[in-house]
């Protein structure tokens, strides 16, 4: 990738950032907490690019950023308790985990194959202007290499991601604070991650207590372990040829009925993983079997293999 652009926080800079995002590129932008690494949440390739740029080790759910509650309703079902919290605390550092609309168009890489989506309405003025100029949902984890300190200036973003992303929209230093609070609001509110909005304030708005944590076996948001996508068919990994009754999913030189990437592109493979797994499951049919060709366990390949190992793991009845 070419040198990462530093964009000014004016109309021209915002227009250029929105143009890059519409083209599937990645742009870092400030929120009230830290800089986020934004990509079109409807694009498999853009979201896979976020994982690749960060070196994120596994497909965990990502938070989708939108400008207001009306926009959120286009992508998720907003229940009564969610609406109460949204009207009280949005825009701000509160993320709500909501049922995903079937026609949302959100990439399954954003939700890690779950039927819920985590949505936040940032309060930062520049983030708001960018979201409105872009006109769509932005998946945006922190704009730093995985495991590093979160960035609170555009310079911090450049230190970690220069050459890996298209641009940084420079909004100056962020007001350093806690990450967003994450709540599963309906039907019974659950605090999934404490953060910038105190639990006491949430409980006061709801008029009822929040249950702590969540079911570790069925995580529903960023900040928790990702649930694996369990196909009906049995999975065999590191396959180099098809056995009788199997659907082989190829990669690179290993050819199959389906492929993650004919030319061995890990970003393409990541972008296609969930859709290909579902298609293979459909082709295999009841009681069928799926074989996956070896994928290099480097870079984004580590994330792909992590998801495949989870999908292939023994399941309880």
């Amino acid at each position: 990738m070419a040198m990462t652009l530093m964009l000014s926080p004016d109309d021209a800079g915002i227009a250029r950032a929105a143009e890059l995002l519409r083209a599937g590129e990645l742009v870092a932008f400030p929120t009230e907490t830290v800089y986020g690494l934004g990509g079109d949440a409807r694009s498999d390739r853009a979201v896979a690019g976020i994982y690749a740029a960060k070196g994120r080790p596994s497909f965990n759910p990502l938070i989708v950023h939108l400008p207001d509650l009306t926009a959120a309703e286009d992508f998720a079902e907003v229940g009564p308790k969610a609406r109460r919290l949204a009207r009280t605390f949005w825009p701000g550092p509160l993320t709500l985990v909501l049922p995903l609309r079937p026609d949302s168009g959100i990439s399954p890489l954003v939700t890690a194959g779950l039927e819920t989506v985590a949505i936040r309405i940032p309060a930062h003025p520049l983030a708001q202007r960018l979201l409105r100029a872009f006109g769509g949902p932005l998946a945006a984890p922190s704009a730093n290499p995985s495991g590093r300190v979160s960035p609170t200036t555009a310079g911090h973003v450049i230190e970690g991601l220069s050459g890996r992303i298209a641009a940084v929209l420079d909004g100056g230093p962020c007001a350093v604070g806690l990450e967003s609070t994450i709540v599963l609001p309906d039907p019974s509110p659950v605090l999934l991650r404490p953060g910038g909005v105190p639990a006491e304030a949430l409980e006061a708005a709801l008029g009822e207590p929040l249950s702590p944590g969540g079911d570790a076996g069925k995580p529903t948001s960023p900040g928790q372990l990702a649930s694996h996508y369990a196909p009906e068919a049995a999975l065999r990994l590191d396959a180099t040829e098809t056995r009788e009754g199997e659907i082989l999913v190829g990669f690179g030189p290993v050819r199959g009925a389906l492929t993650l990437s004919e030319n061995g592109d890990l970003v393409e493979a990541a972008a296609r993983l969930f859709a290909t797994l579902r298609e293979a499951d459909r082709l295999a049919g009841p009681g069928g079997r799926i074989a996956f060709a070896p994928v290099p366990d480097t870079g984004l390949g580590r994330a792909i293999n992590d998801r495949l190992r989870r999908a292939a793991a023994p399941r309880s009845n």
Side-chain angles (χ1 to χ4, degrees), residues 131-304:
L131 285 162
R132 295 181 187 282
F134 174 61
L138 288 180
S142 59
N144 56 282
S146 185
R148 302 289 182 85
V149 177
S150 296
T152 56
T153 69
H156 293 163
V157 178
I158 291 295
E159 286 175 14
L161 298 178
S162 180
R164 300 190 196 181
I165 64 176
V168 181
L169 186 60
D170 187 357
C174 297
V176 181
L178 295 172
E179 294 176 315
S180 64
T181 304
I182 302 180
V183 173
L184 177 67
D186 292 285
S188 299
V190 177
L191 179 64
L192 297 173
R193 184 182 76 183
V197 178
E200 293 82 358
L202 296 166
E203 290 174 337
L206 289 168
E208 64 180 294
L210 292 165
S211 299
D215 184 347
K218 295 182 179 179
T220 52
S221 80
Q224 299 180 305
L225 292 176
S227 174
H228 70 262
Y229 170 72
E232 293 294 329
L235 261 66
R236 181 170 68 93
L237 306 183
D238 297 321
T240 55
E241 59 184 18
T242 308
R243 295 177 183 173
E244 184 177 356
E246 282 184 337
I247 298 296
L248 177 62
V249 178
F251 178 83
V254 178
R255 305 300 182 184
L258 302 170
T259 185
L260 292 177
S261 174
E262 289 187 358
N263 62 357
D265 183 332
L266 289 173
V267 173
E268 180 184 27
R272 299 181 66 173
L273 178 59
F274 284 113
T276 302
L277 189 53
R278 288 186 174 89
E279 177 63 10
D281 200 28
R282 185 188 69 79
L283 292 174
R289 292 177 293 165
I290 304 168
F292 272 82
V295 175
D297 202 38
T298 59
L300 199 56
R302 291 193 295 271
I304 295 169

